[in-house]
Amino acid sequence: MEYRRIKDLQDKAGEEVHSHNNDEESLRGSKSDSISTGSGELSKWKRKSIVTLALTVLTSSQAILIVWSKRAGKYEYSVTTANFLVEALKCAFSLAALARIWRNEGVTDDNRLSTTLDEVSVYPIPAALYLIKNLLQYYIFAYVDAPGYQILKNFNIISTGVLYRIILKKKLSEIQWAAFVLLCAGCTTAQLNPSSDHVLQTPFQGWLMAIVMALLSGFAGVYTEAIIKKRPSRNINVQNFWLYVFGMVFNAIAILVQDFDAVANKGFFHGYSLITVLMILNHALSGIAVSMVMKYADNIVKVYATSVAMLLTAIVSVFLFGFHLSLAFFLGSIVVSVSVYLHSVGKVQRQQ
């Protein structure tokens, strides 16, 4: 009898120990899962922060580097050669991305470079449009300062939206139309010049070039999207590669037409400086940064980068170029930032 009681006590103690061990293992497992989840969230947050920072720095420094690359108010290098190198770098980046895909996934019909004349014949149109737009962005600085350029280039949001409606038949929400009106008001406010006889800081030629650039950029963007959606399974790096190849071809023609004598007599890299090299890298990496935002972040990051870039460009320009940061510019920048945010919200609501 006594033996049975002792046996029962031993069994009960064994069950308690076993139960305690199971609880410990369960607690350890849940703790491990929690740590793993927390680590994943932290890694995602870091990646998003890096992408946001990169896009903000690249966007804000783009106009600054172009203006900074000038000497005594003019470009000592050939802008056509700079554009050619930008397209060549982007082409190399696309090839590097494809090489990685081929190594990991193998070569398929959707990621191989070989193509048909019918498929490749659509790329010259956007390539030609981007050529003109990219050349204009150098000449516009004869009429616009770096902060003004950052403000005015937001006109491409309006041109893209309107062309989406006309070409792709996509409806725009009421919020997006309201954002367009706000954007125009913000751009005008930022350009007000109360200390001069001229109402606006930027002359008519600057506004005209900004509008033409916005139309070219918008049409090229919409046309490129239509090409991509024509064959959605096609790898984006292959499509980008062929677009950049035609960009190189058109820029080579521009070199022959516009800067042949200068390049033949002084060399391809004449007038280049460290700032020129940084500017070329900036233009080439900006496209990759936008792609990274699409993959690792969201549209709000683009809005944030655009808004911060306008103010950063203005602040840096105060020290580098003696820019006067007026109340009108500050208020106009805020209005433009709000309009860009509203356009982003309206776009999300329309997609839902």
Side-chain angles (χ1 to χ4, degrees):
M1 191 78 177
E2 189 67 28
Y3 171 76
R4 189 178 295 120
R5 191 181 296 116
I6 293 170
K7 181 70 174 172
D8 290 342
L9 287 171
Q10 287 176 341
D11 291 343
K12 189 175 181 181
E15 288 174 4
E16 288 178 354
V17 170
H18 182 68
S19 175
H20 180 68
N21 289 339
N22 285 343
D23 289 343
E24 280 188 345
E25 288 176 6
S26 176
L27 184 63
R28 196 179 296 117
S30 63
K31 191 174 181 181
S32 175
D33 291 342
S34 176
I35 291 171
S36 176
T37 304
S39 176
E41 288 295 324
L42 183 62
S43 175
K44 187 178 179 182
W45 180 84
K46 283 183 178 178
R47 196 161 49 211
K48 188 173 180 178
S49 300
I50 291 170
V51 169
T52 305
L53 181 63
L55 185 61
T56 304
V57 171
L58 288 168
T59 304
S60 57
S61 60
Q62 199 169 77
I64 291 171
L65 288 171
I66 293 177
V67 176
W68 206 0
S69 68
K70 296 168 81 173
R71 292 289 180 272
K74 64 178 183 178
Y75 302 107
E76 293 186 353
Y77 58 91
S78 299
V79 295
T80 51
T81 62
N83 269 342
F84 178 86
L85 290 175
V86 169
E87 297 299 315
L89 270 177
K90 289 195 286 189
C91 198
F93 290 147
S94 296
L95 275 178
L98 279 172
R100 186 178 179 184
I101 292 170
W102 294 334
R103 187 169 59 250
N104 295 333
E105 302 174 12
V107 179
T108 64
D109 288 336
D110 289 327
N111 66 26
R112 68 173 72 248
L113 281 179
S114 56
T115 182
T116 62
L117 181 62
D118 182 56
E119 181 185 3
V120 86
S121 61
V122 296
Y123 291 107
I125 294 175
L129 293 172
Y130 280 127
L131 167 70
I132 301 169
K133 179 256 178 186
N134 290 336
L135 287 176
L136 280 176
Q137 78 178 351
Y138 290 96
Y139 299 119
I140 193 173
F141 287 105
Y143 309 100
V144 184
D145 51 30
Y149 172 78
Q150 286 287 14
I151 292 283
L152 293 177
K153 79 173 188 177
N154 286 295
F155 275 135
N156 65 7
I157 295 174
I158 299 176
S159 65
T160 303
V162 173
L163 289 168
Y164 260 106
R165 181 75 183 92
I166 295 171
I167 298 174
L168 298 182
K169 308 297 181 185
K170 288 190 176 182
K171 281 191 69 176
L172 297 173
S173 67
E174 292 180 0
I175 294 178
Q176 286 178 296
W177 285 113
F180 292 162
V181 175
L182 262 182
L183 183 59
C184 291
C187 289
T188 306
T189 303
Q191 291 296 307
L192 289 176
N193 190 12
S195 60
S196 172
D197 294 336
H198 301 286
V199 178
L200 300 175
Q201 291 180 3
T202 302
F204 173 74
Q205 297 95 319
W207 283 87
L208 183 62
M209 290 178 76
I211 292 169
V212 171
M213 285 176 63
L215 288 171
L216 289 170
S217 179
F219 188 78
V222 172
Y223 192 91
T224 303
E225 183 172 329
I227 293 172
I228 291 170
K229 288 185 176 178
K230 189 177 179 182
R231 188 178 172 182
S233 61
R234 192 70 154 137
N235 188 281
I236 186 68
N237 292 296
V238 175
Q239 293 171 317
N240 283 340
F241 172 81
W242 285 111
L243 179 63
Y244 300 147
V245 164
F246 279 102
M248 290 171 64
V249 170
F250 284 127
N251 276 284
I253 294 171
I255 292 171
L256 293 174
V257 173
Q258 183 174 319
D259 295 313
F260 177 78
D261 290 337
V263 171
N265 296 325
K266 300 178 184 178
F268 191 90
F269 298 101
H270 76 274
Y272 274 54
S273 64
L274 176 61
I275 301 300
T276 312
V277 174
L278 290 175
M279 180 198 70
I280 291 169
L281 284 172
N282 177 288
H283 279 74
L285 291 172
S286 292
I288 294 176
V290 172
S291 301
M292 296 287 279
V293 166
M294 299 299 183
K295 185 173 182 179
Y296 295 117
D298 49 44
N299 206 42
I300 298 301
V301 168
K302 285 180 67 179
V303 174
Y304 170 82
T306 301
S307 304
V308 174
M310 286 186 290
L311 292 176
L312 266 180
T313 303
I315 293 168
V316 174
S317 295
V318 169
F319 298 100
L320 287 181
F321 313 120
F323 173 73
H324 175 62
L325 186 59
S326 64
L327 178 61
F329 182 88
F330 181 73
L331 293 175
S333 299
I334 292 175
V335 174
V336 170
S337 299
V338 171
S339 69
V340 173
Y341 172 74
L342 286 176
H343 179 267
S344 174
V345 170
K347 186 177 180 180
V348 171
Q349 288 183 354
R350 180 171 54 80
Q351 288 173 344
Q352 291 175 345

